[in-house]
Amino acid sequence: MAVKIPNSIDELPTSSPRFIGHRVKRVEDTGLVTGRTEFIDNVSMTGMLHCAILRSPIAHAKIEKIDVSAALDLPGVVAVVTGEDAAKWSHPAASSPDGWGTYCLPADKVRFVGEPVAAVAATSRYIAEDALELIEIEYEPLDVVSDPVAAMEDGSPLVIEERGSNVMLQRVFNWGDTDAAFAAADHVFSEKFRWNRLGANPIETYGCISEWDPTELGITVRGAFQSPSHMALGRAMTFGLPSNKVRMIAHPHGGSFGGKGGVRGTDVSLLLSRKTGGRPIKWIEDRMEYLAAGGSQAWDRRYEFSIAVTNDGIVTGLKVKLVDDIGANGEGFGAISAAKPLAAFTGPYTIGAAQYDLSLVATNKAPASPYRGMGPPPHNFALEQMMDIAARSLGIDTAEFRRRNFIPKDAFPYIIPSGNEYDSGDYEAVLDKVLALSEYEKLREEQKLAREQGRLVGIGVASAIEPGVFDWNAYAVVGVQGTGVPEGATVSIDILGKVMVRVGFALEGQGQYTLVTQLVADYFGLEMEDVSVTMLDTASAPPAFGPGGSRLGVAITGAVLGACDRIRVKMCKVVAGLMQTEPENIQLMDGVFGIPGVSEAQMPMAQVAGTMLGASHLLPPDVDPRPEATHVWTAAGRTPVDEEGRTKSYLTAAHAVHIVLLEIDPDTGMVEIQKYVLVDDCGTRLNPATVEGQTQGSVAQGIGAALLEEYVYDEDGQLLTSTYMDYLLPTIHDVPALVMGEVVTPSPFSPLGAKGCGEGAIHTTPAAVMCAINDALVPLGTRANEVPAAPNRLWKLIHTARENTSSD
Amino acid sequence: MATMKTVRMKVNGVTHESEVEPRTTLVDFLRGPLALTGTHVGCEHGVCGACTILVDGRTARSCLMLAVQADGAEITTVEGLATPEGLHPIQQAFIEEHGLQCGFCTPGFLMSLVELLSENPDPSDAEIKDVLGGQICRCTGYQSILKSVHSAIAKLRTAGVAAQPPLA
């Protein structure tokens, strides 16, 4: 019998859900506010040593000689590893694109500042760091290439010689007849954009405790893994081990946002464990290591955008040319960020033809990593600027211009030119609501008055899709293989009717253990306290990926409800046997199994569980007596890529429109956000409080992206933003209070109709803020096409524009 | 091996005396020998505020202090907020108002607020932001934290207690 996973909250076996859809308190929080939650750096093990990593101070150099003898002589130092050990015991890291990985410790040359070259295991971190200073390395500097455009030219220094070029991938995708759309267009608008490197920066860096098992020839790593199963597969490849010899034990971690990283440090510490005969090796990345060489850096992009537009303001074609600077190798899987925009390439609009001219380029900078949003935020930023450029040129209000181009609500499910399918939506309803909430007309009037006073006040209206529930096929075009991302859960009921749910991912911040608790409590008519959630390691957990690609809320809902349904089916059989009827006559409702309408034929779930576990001789012979089930959920209907790179990849398509009012101080270039209003539609809201939390946090990251955050390299490949004094994260002063509203169009495809919403606002916020900045700059006749729009950049734009005006 | 120094400090009401290397940071001392791992390390250069604790009632970045500098001090860490009877009102407020997500920065926020609300039981938003401007949260976008602070203020007022936990 097929497992039944409800597509709507109304289909749950409860007359009135008490938890799902409600703002419930998170079950995770008591441990966190008391400091008791076991983050990886809180853990110590018998015999444990501490690892410190020596990193290259030069962006590109041959390693002539490494002498570790003095380090080994330091009391407390147990082992040192270098590229020699890596070559002996490991393989180059898996990468995207394939074949662009390097050893975790290179033997021949370094390719970016911060690249590990040697590592020490010692009895304390202090001693390990002392020992680093005793390692002598002779480098022969090589020419550095830090500009991806220069890196593509013949004769450029090569980052990985064996590849023969710095171009990791070059491909032009054509979806529909884009040239014909441009030839037929009344107007063509083109613009160049620059999005500078930024990144995740969770407040906890990566950390792990690695053990090589010399008897089993396997490895066990405890760590701050966003996806333990994914880390396990990668380590199996790197160390040439069967995947069943690699065990990952995930710990709760202090955020990830896609950029937890940790691959190199894990592999280096595993080499040290092997060299020390299997001692546990703790490696805690420090913040400067994270900033220079962790999973920290993403999206270093040079864009050329063109759109074809009719006189009526309908966009008919889109051309995008992207040079994406991936850094020194493909081990960070930053390249998937160039593939993900295919899942929403034309945004919420009916644009019928599109072209993507994509170049991924290697340079002597830190390898690019994923970051929340995984690539679309810069794409959306540029697309939304184009929408504004066209709207202004045609004299159409920017909100109205978007309305004319929205996919209409009766067109869903809707397949976009790049192949992905949007499940559902009502984009006009979202726009109408945000216009009303923001009192848009009034804002425009206020802006008019402000402009008359010479003030630089701007209003940004931006709209974007958040693809939800990723599938590996979304990244096939950059060499990532596979279709289907499983998420499993095991639900077990004890003899008293209390429930334990076992999952394969650790706490990360999104409140997913709370969601699991809500689901089970409503399904079986329990209190939330009756449900516990625990994490298993990769050796014992059901197949699981964990958070990523706005998937886990939807995926774990499918897994938990699938497991609950399997238990329900078993229990119906048990109850039918006891009541001498057929299982189809038995119904579960509000935690009670029985024959509807027959008051004497009712059994509370706890009694059924107690009977199964305590009196299995009473059960029908074909019933498994355990009140327990596992379900592994995958998204249905995903398709492999076709020859044009098209695929049904992401299951859901959430939508949002943001409106920002801001003012630029012309004397300082500082931006003050005065009003921020957004309405989004992520389908059914399973816990509205956590949805809002994700949205608010994502707006903050989007504001950081638009105004503050930037990794700056000089031409020698030196990182100039190596501390939080230079890499600026948004503080409480930078993030405005939000006005938020919602529209709910449930997904027809997903458990309970929910849409992925974890990445959230970062898909829209940078676009909205930049639209507002450019709106403010209209009277000066200038544009800000570079992100972040930091005060120095805006000041220069404003003053150049004023000088030009005064000299006219 | 560097010369060891003896330090004596009262942490969450318990007196500790230990030998430490003079270069040991206070946070490493608290998290290591004292096993008080609720104080977290986020940047080790004094910006993120995750390691904030109270030293003689005043907030301090424990990553920027040496253990020897705290010789003779009374220290409160996040472990000192709750009692066997229950959570501190500020902790309760953060749970109720979803003032945390990953929770890694939270102990630092709580300690900064203990100092603020001890000195000023009814701060304005500007005063709250002035204090919390030194704490970075990457998850929440701060709005739920602001709500948590207002909830904490109300709880403390209703209970008629001071924010500063009793130092035994």
Side-chain angles (χ1 to χ4, degrees), chain B residues 5-73:
Chain B
K5 295 269 183 197
T6 302
V7 293
R8 186 186 164 93
M9 60 186 86
K10 196 181 257 191
V11 185
N12 303 329
V14 178
T15 302
H16 297 270
E17 192 174 279
S18 300
E19 298 277 297
V20 299
E21 274 191 69
R23 64 175 175 171
T24 307
T25 62
L26 181 55
V27 70
D28 283 349
F29 180 70
L30 293 170
R31 292 180 49 82
L34 302 197
L36 293 167
T37 51
T39 302
H40 298 147
V41 178
C43 72
E44 287 184 291
H45 51 261
V47 178
C48 80
C51 68
T52 303
I53 60 168
L54 299 182
V55 177
D56 293 329
R58 310 295 308 187
T59 49
R61 302 285 210 231
S62 59
C63 76
L64 293 186
M65 262 183 90
L66 299 172
V68 292
Q69 291 176 290
D71 188 27

Side-chain angles (χ1 to χ4, degrees), chain A residues 696 699-700 703 730-738, chain B residues 129 141-143:
Chain A
Q696 287 180 332
V699 165
I703 286 171
T731 71
I732 200 167
H733 299 294
D734 301 307
V735 185
L738 306 177
Chain B
K129 286 184 179 182
Y142 303 104
Q143 299 310 308

Side-chain angles (χ1 to χ4, degrees), chain A residues 28 54 95 155 160 186 206 236 240 317 323 337 346 447 487 539 661 711:
Chain A
E28 292 90 343
L54 185 65
S95 67
I160 300 181
D186 298 316
Y206 180 78
V323 175
S337 287
T346 39
Q447 180 190 29
E487 196 65 38
L661 173 75
Y711 288 100

Side-chain angles (χ1 to χ4, degrees), chain A residues 26 126 130 200 287 709 730, chain B residues 23 28 42 91 101 138 142:
Chain A
R26 304 196 324 161
Y126 286 75
D130 289 343
R287 181 57 63 183
E709 298 180 39
Chain B
R23 64 175 175 171
D28 283 349
Q91 291 172 317
Q101 288 178 24
R138 190 59 160 163
Y142 303 104

